[in-house]
Amino acid sequence: MDVRLIVDALQVLLPVLYAALVAVYGITFFRSAPVLERIKHPALIVIIVLHLVFLGARTVLFDHPPITSLFEIMTLLAASIGGAYLYLEFRTRVHNTGLFVLTLAFIFQTISSLFIRDLLVIPDYLHSRLLGFHVSAAILGYTALSISAVYGLLYLMLYHEIKSSRFGIVYSRLPNLETLETMSHRSEAFGFVMLTIAILVGVVWLPIVFKDISYFDPKLIGTIAIWCLYALALTAKRRGGWQGRKTMIVSLVGFLFVFISMMVINLFLSSFHTFH
């Protein structure tokens, strides 16, 4: 089959598939649906495989990995979130939080499919292995921070139900508070380590490629601000004894900064992360 056709078809199909998958997880979260329960995990595997085919086909078609624009990175991020959730389902055997995690993958993939462009000619420095390592670490970091925020939100939803003595669908379908907090904290710690590596590699790589780079670029300032926020949050947890609801709120605030950094700063304020 023609590679061009595969790329074009999956670019349209992936948001539709993610939407259908989120709908299936949503239905099975709110009511009993044995048939959908049986197919949702295999469907997730199929969609992740198709997403990997899409990424591989784009790499072959345009002769570079999909890391050269914000919207290429967003489809990588969507695949990373989907893959990370598949791994969590496999490890924890908890299959009823997909509605909340996979919605992020659907949003990122939809935005990417709408605005992604074909880049046939790119600068030589985009073939750098150091850049590939930098982007991979950043993607893993942002994926983990996104998942941490989702489990933080689920924690707060369950906390609110318990606090108000309303033991409804959220209470009956979600894991307990301790499990949600642990999953959020572990994701956040992993994301912070990956973000630290991405920043350090970026600091080494940038002066090599961009001789006139300004360290006051909004993207750099935004990334350092995010790193400082998570560093303070993790320190508060380890040294200050923060736990529970307070740390979940911090996790959500941190993700809000991440989202603003990715969308607003990358699109309108920064220059060096736009490679075309």
Side-chain angles (χ1 to χ4, degrees), residues 176-252:
N176 60 41
L177 287 176
E178 184 180 6
T179 300
L180 291 173
E181 185 175 3
T182 299
M183 295 171 83
S184 178
H185 283 177
R186 287 180 179 175
S187 296
E188 185 176 293
F190 179 78
F192 178 75
V193 171
M194 289 295 106
L195 189 60
T196 303
I197 293 173
I199 290 172
L200 292 176
V201 174
V203 167
V204 173
W205 180 75
L206 277 174
I208 297 174
V209 178
F210 300 99
K211 302 302 180 187
D212 57 345
I213 181 65
S214 169
Y215 286 95
F216 293 99
D217 185 282
K219 176 61 182 176
L220 280 177
I221 294 173
T223 303
I224 295 299
I226 291 169
W227 185 90
C228 289
L229 178 64
Y230 279 105
L232 288 172
L234 289 170
T235 301
K237 290 168 191 170
R238 290 185 65 86
R239 304 291 184 185
W242 281 27
Q243 59 182 355
R245 180 172 173 270
K246 190 185 298 183
T247 60
M248 298 300 102
I249 292 174
V250 171
S251 178
L252 288 175

Side-chain angles (χ1 to χ4, degrees), residues 56-66 68 119-122 126-127:
R58 275 195 70 89
T59 301
V60 171
L61 183 62
F62 301 118
D63 195 27
H64 63 79
T68 58
L119 298 177
L120 300 174
V121 179
I122 61 171
L126 290 182
H127 297 285

Side-chain angles (χ1 to χ4, degrees), residues 77 138-146 195 219 223 226 258 261-262:
L77 192 55
I139 293 295
L140 288 172
Y142 284 131
T143 297
L145 295 177
S146 301
L195 189 60
K219 176 61 182 176
T223 303
I226 291 169
V258 169
S261 173
M262 285 193 66

Side-chain angles (χ1 to χ4, degrees), residues 101-161:
V101 177
L102 294 173
T103 296
L104 283 178
F106 163 67
I107 292 171
F108 285 131
Q109 183 55 45
T110 300
I111 296 173
S112 173
S113 287
L114 286 173
F115 299 106
I116 199 168
R117 292 194 301 167
D118 300 344
L119 298 177
L120 300 174
V121 179
I122 61 171
D124 289 339
Y125 57 76
L126 290 182
H127 297 285
S128 166
R129 293 180 180 177
L130 206 55
L131 174 63
F133 188 59
H134 164 71
V135 173
S136 299
I139 293 295
L140 288 172
Y142 284 131
T143 297
L145 295 177
S146 301
I147 291 176
S148 171
V150 170
Y151 284 111
L153 178 62
L154 296 180
Y155 178 100
L156 293 176
M157 290 168 60
L158 183 57
Y159 177 88
H160 178 72
E161 282 223 344

